Amino acid sequence: MNWGTELWDQYDNLASHTQRGIEFLDKYGNFVRDRCTIEQEYAAKLRRLVKNYQPKKKEEDDNEFTSYQAFKNVLKEIGDLAGQREVVAESLQIQVSNAITLLSKNLREERKKTLTEGSNLTQNLTAQVLALDRAKKNYEKAYRDSEKALENYQRADADLNLSRAEVEKQRHNMTIKSQQSDDAKNEYANQLQKTNKLQQQHYESALPDVFNRLQEIDEKRTRGLKEFIKGAADAESSVAPIIARCLEGVVIAAESIDEKEDSHKAVEKYQSGFLPPGDIPFEDLSKMDPDLSNHSQYHSATNVNNHMTHRGTIGANKLKKRTGIFGIFSSNKNTLSTDGMKEDYSDLPPNQRRKKLTSKINELKHKIVQETAAHDGLMKMKSVYEANSLLGDPMSVEGQLNESAHKLEKLKVELRKYQQYLEQANSVQIAQHSPQSHRNLQNGQRMSRHSNGSGENEDGDDQPDDAGSLSSSASPESGLGTSHTSLPGSGQGSANDQVMNEDMYYEAEPLQALGTCKALYPFDATSEGSIPMSENEELQVIELDQGDGWTRVRRCTGPNGWEEGFVPTSYIESTLYA
């Protein structure tokens, strides 16, 4: 079936139909372009999402866990997935959207040309029909005039009163009108024959050709739409295997998570190496000095929680000492590393210290290998220059060789230093570095310094005046605080320790006051290391807030004449001495 024979009289409808078809093709083209935009935006947002959730530098320590590594791999796969969406958008743009635009333009031009030809044919036929109508009207008028002239002649010929000249005039007029009628009749017959021939040609060949071309245009548009829809599906199906592999990568990343391995790594990362505190010895009050009974009881209660957090566990990363007032009076010979720790990591628990030292040694060995390779390369370059002076001056690399040798020697010295640190760390018994003994050692060093006036410990290292006061996170809530009202080391139960600590206790002097403070609100001491205070009470400030929200104060009352402890910084108004 074709439009030329079946729809010969539907010129206007076919023109409208083909126009709507091309507009529909343009509509699908707009759909594809909008989808390209969405695909590109989706890919951009996926990439932004991956970038926002990339591990931060401060989270590098956690990347050793399988769950963190799996999430990192998931981000990589999502980034690849975003790339495939960009490929889909590019394919749709090039293979579909641009092709639709080109096809639509060509179809419009062909339709316009075809309709113009059809319009010309219709105009020609219309003009011929009008010429036929004019010829018919002329024939009808001439025929009537001829009939009237014949009637006038017959009447004049029958009238005896008219002259022969008048009758001859009527006969001549009749002859003219009859000739004009015959001419009009012949013209009408010719126009009719021409019109019929043109009309037959118009409806049987010319116009059907126009309609058939319109049909081809519409079918071409429909066929193109079919191919474009398939092309859009092919653009996405072509990347489907890669997307499937990305999703498989996500599944593999998920399956790589091992909760047991993460638990083991958590132990390796946070294990301090300290032993749990021993049993608290029984104190026979009947055999103790009555003057010291109150202090021993108080110290026994506070010493149980020494170096323990509020949940009863050791905070491996919270065992740093609270040194001085913002470190102003600190005279520590051991310099700090880039991460804020001591160079030999002696402020870390044993296991963490050995782990840090081992990591540092491996890093130095890797640097030595790299620097050795660079030095060997410079030596070879120098030997080549010496063998052939045209290639270069041997002295040009002499400075680099000296610098490389100096750097290599410096790295080796640093490596030996850290190896010695590691040997020292491995030689120390774990039991000697438990939280209890570590605290007692600090208290002992501080008390001995108060007694003999020296600022050195047993190893001869300089220590700040308050080196044994409190760890950096020793707030009353964590249970790490120990006030001067307690006897240092009384919870160990060792006779030697008790004698030593008792001597140091009587020779100890209170810390110098840094200023005064006024209690803005009443405070009830509910944890070890804190002291209560009433509103508007005047106290002495002996240690500033180190960022944990607590300030150490002294009340000039109590069994020993003074009492020390921690209060919330937000509860007081401090006035420091100039």
Side-chain angles (χ1 to χ4, degrees), residues 339-390:
D339 54 2
M341 298 181 181
K342 290 185 177 180
E343 185 181 35
D344 60 352
Y345 302 109
S346 59
D347 52 345
L348 293 176
N351 276 16
Q352 304 300 321
R353 183 188 181 193
R354 286 194 290 271
K355 185 177 178 182
K356 282 283 187 181
L357 289 173
T358 303
S359 176
K360 186 68 175 180
I361 289 173
N362 293 334
E363 179 184 350
L364 290 173
K365 287 181 178 179
H366 181 66
K367 289 182 178 179
I368 288 175
V369 171
Q370 290 181 335
E371 193 61 35
T372 302
H375 187 270
D376 293 343
L378 291 173
M379 289 294 295
K380 291 180 180 179
M381 184 182 297
K382 182 179 179 182
S383 62
V384 171
Y385 289 171
E386 289 175 348
N388 189 353
S389 59
L390 296 178

Side-chain angles (χ1 to χ4, degrees), residues 77-145:
E77 298 297 340
I78 296 301
D80 294 341
L81 186 63
Q84 299 311 309
R85 303 319 304 180
E86 290 175 345
V87 171
V88 171
E90 184 178 358
S91 299
L92 289 175
Q93 181 67 35
I94 297 176
Q95 301 176 9
V96 180
S97 181
N98 294 344
I100 289 176
T101 302
L102 181 60
L103 178 60
S104 177
K105 179 181 177 182
N106 293 336
L107 291 179
R108 288 181 183 278
E109 292 178 354
E110 292 180 13
R111 176 182 175 275
K112 181 179 180 180
K113 182 178 179 181
T114 303
L115 290 178
T116 300
E117 183 178 350
S119 178
N120 292 335
L121 292 174
T122 303
Q123 289 177 3
N124 291 338
L125 180 61
T126 302
Q128 184 59 43
V129 171
L130 292 176
L132 176 62
D133 289 340
R134 285 195 300 271
K136 184 179 180 181
K137 290 179 180 179
N138 289 336
Y139 170 62
E140 290 176 350
K141 182 176 182 297
Y143 179 77
R144 288 194 300 270
D145 291 343

Side-chain angles (χ1 to χ4, degrees), residues 327-334 455 461-464:
I328 298 176
F329 303 106
S330 176
S331 59
N332 201 343
K333 290 181 179 179
N334 197 348
D461 294 336
D462 294 340
Q463 299 290 344

Side-chain angles (χ1 to χ4, degrees), residues 552-566:
R552 193 172 182 179
V553 299
R554 177 189 298 136
R555 178 186 291 110
C556 296
T557 58
N560 195 36
W562 45 272
E563 180 182 8
E564 294 180 357
F566 289 89

Side-chain angles (χ1 to χ4, degrees), residues 38-54:
I38 292 174
E39 292 285 358
Q40 291 170 349
E41 292 177 352
Y42 177 55
K45 289 182 179 180
L46 279 182
R47 291 194 181 279
R48 192 179 306 115
L49 177 68
V50 171
K51 182 179 179 181
N52 292 340
Y53 281 86
Q54 284 294 336

Side-chain angles (χ1 to χ4, degrees), residues 200-362:
Q200 181 182 7
Q201 183 182 2
H202 178 82
Y203 287 108
E204 290 183 0
S205 61
L207 192 60
D209 289 343
V210 172
F211 287 174
N212 288 337
R213 286 201 296 272
L214 288 177
Q215 181 179 0
E216 291 176 1
I217 292 172
D218 193 68
E219 289 178 353
K220 186 177 180 180
R221 185 265 308 171
T222 307
R223 185 169 56 254
L225 182 62
K226 173 184 175 181
E227 296 299 326
F228 295 144
I229 294 176
K230 289 175 59 179
D234 292 340
E236 189 157 1
S237 61
S238 63
V239 300
I242 303 177
I243 294 176
R245 286 198 293 272
C246 292
L247 298 179
E248 289 175 2
V250 173
V251 174
I252 293 173
E255 292 176 348
S256 67
I257 298 176
D258 188 343
E259 65 276 8
K260 297 297 183 182
E261 183 179 351
D262 281 2
S263 298
H264 178 69
K265 288 182 178 179
V267 172
E268 291 182 350
K269 182 176 181 180
Y270 299 113
Q271 186 181 24
S272 66
F274 292 141
L275 294 177
D279 295 338
I280 300 174
F282 176 76
E283 297 182 2
D284 192 350
L285 299 181
S286 62
K287 296 181 181 180
M288 293 181 63
D289 189 345
D291 294 338
L292 300 178
S293 61
N294 293 333
H295 302 294
S296 297
Q297 292 174 1
Y298 181 77
H299 180 69
S300 297
T302 58
N303 205 31
V304 171
N305 291 325
N306 211 6
H307 285 285
M308 305 290 285
T309 65
H310 68 286
R311 296 186 182 275
T313 58
I314 298 173
N317 60 341
K318 295 185 179 181
L319 294 176
K320 302 175 185 176
K321 292 185 292 185
R322 184 173 181 171
T323 57
I325 306 171
F326 302 109
I328 298 176
F329 303 106
S330 176
S331 59
N332 201 343
K333 290 181 179 179
N334 197 348
T335 59
L336 299 180
S337 61
T338 56
D339 54 2
M341 298 181 181
K342 290 185 177 180
E343 185 181 35
D344 60 352
Y345 302 109
S346 59
D347 52 345
L348 293 176
N351 276 16
Q352 304 300 321
R353 183 188 181 193
R354 286 194 290 271
K355 185 177 178 182
K356 282 283 187 181
L357 289 173
T358 303
S359 176
K360 186 68 175 180
I361 289 173
N362 293 334

